[in-house]
Amino acid sequence: VTPLETPGAGRPYSILSEAEVGRIGELRRRYPNGRSAVLPALWILQRRQGILTADGMREVARALDLPPGPVEAVASFYSMFFFKPHGRYVVEMCTSMSCMLNGAGPVLRTLERELEVRTGATTDDNLATLLEVECLGACGGAPAAQVNHHFFENLTPERASRLVADMRADGLIGEIPPAAAAAGADGHLHPLPTGAEAAAETTLVDLANPGANRLETVPAGPAGSVVDLIKGHGVLLNPSEHPAERGYSGAPATEAQ
Ligand code: FES
């Protein structure tokens, strides 16, 4: 079989760093077919750029020794990949069956009201992008949302208000690195808080040793809130740091009426 020609093969990378190209190559070597490594490679790109650009996806394809088509096809299938600039927080509210039956509508309306933004849009200060998504696979905790890919379950309008208040209280705009903040002022990129620090190894599941990098303790942060959980300090959630313990989740029956 003659390998497909990869456009740009042999050219230097201008978006991905040398370490990131190396990491993608390492992921590639774990599989007989480079297509199997497209998803984690796209995560690396998104954490580099904040969104997926056409040039970036071409570099991912080149690093995987694939034509760009399969990479773009995978990227466009999943809602967790972004092609447009987004806010510092990406709030994805599930409105599929279980969540809708358990009150996703009032929660979504609360998020719109508190964030002062319509679903599908980004707040004027780039704090948050509010999206309506299909089932997140957390139906047992419906209504559920993800904020920067971290789950928040059994949401109520009150909990949604707290979530937004915590985002505002974090003062994240001031924490955005100067280069990204400058880009944001022009309406460009805002990397996710779980972004650059997690680009290569830390939050990607180690496929050769699943679970090995998932359970480090999340250090308590100054905000002591959703913000700490989302930032995660480069690791995924520890069961002992589940949002339920911070009051964002748990049985709705315990909620004060
Ligand atoms: S229906 Fe909302 S998580 Fe499944």
Side-chain angles (χ1 to χ4, degrees):
V1 178
T2 306
L4 290 168
E5 183 182 340
T6 307
R11 285 175 41 205
Y13 292 85
S14 59
I15 295 170
L16 294 170
S17 69
E18 193 178 322
E20 287 162 342
V21 172
R23 174 64 174 163
I24 292 173
E26 180 190 319
L27 291 164
R28 165 70 184 87
R29 287 189 290 278
R30 293 180 181 182
Y31 303 100
N33 189 320
R35 293 179 188 222
S36 302
V38 168
L39 274 176
L42 286 173
W43 277 120
I44 290 173
L45 175 64
Q46 181 158 284
R47 284 162 179 157
R48 155 65 59 182
Q49 293 196 287
I51 60 174
L52 302 182
T53 63
D55 286 344
M57 286 188 283
R58 274 193 282 274
E59 290 200 0
V60 164
R62 200 187 316 162
L64 291 172
D65 202 19
L66 291 172
V71 174
E72 292 170 359
V74 170
S76 61
F77 181 80
Y78 293 99
S79 62
M80 71 270 200
F81 294 122
F82 302 109
F83 299 95
K84 295 192 298 187
H86 52 74
R88 181 74 161 171
Y89 289 113
V90 177
V91 182
E92 296 176 287
M93 183 71 219
C94 172
T95 54
S96 289
M97 182 71 79
S98 298
C99 289
M100 191 52 86
L101 290 175
N102 281 284
V107 171
L108 184 59
R109 285 195 292 279
T110 300
L111 290 169
E112 286 187 322
R113 187 181 67 246
E114 298 288 334
L115 287 169
E116 299 175 10
V117 73
R118 301 291 298 174
T119 300
T122 300
T123 59
D124 289 342
D125 60 2
N126 283 325
L127 177 70
T129 297
L130 178 60
L131 301 174
E132 186 177 358
V133 297
E134 300 295 331
C135 180
L136 291 166
C139 316
Q146 280 193 337
V147 182
N148 291 7
H149 307 306
H150 288 265
F151 279 102
F152 295 89
E153 301 175 356
N154 294 316
L155 289 170
T156 62
E158 294 75 20
R159 286 171 176 161
S161 294
R162 286 183 54 197
L163 207 58
V164 174
D166 272 347
M167 291 179 211
R168 293 200 192 288
D170 188 51
L172 281 173
I173 297 299
E175 289 188 14
I176 295 174
D186 293 334
H188 294 135
L189 306 181
H190 278 252
L192 293 174
T194 48
E197 79 276 9
E201 289 87 8
T202 52
T203 60
L204 291 176
V205 175
D206 182 345
L207 295 172
N209 188 15
N213 57 358
R214 281 176 168 264
L215 297 177
E216 296 171 46
T217 301
V218 178
S225 69
V226 59
V227 173
D228 299 329
L229 291 168
I230 291 171
K231 286 180 175 173
H233 299 274
V235 297
L236 296 181
L237 284 179
N238 182 320
S240 68
E241 294 284 339
H242 191 275
E245 299 183 7
R246 310 272 185 136
Y248 291 105
S249 186
T254 62
E255 182 85 6
Q257 296 300 311

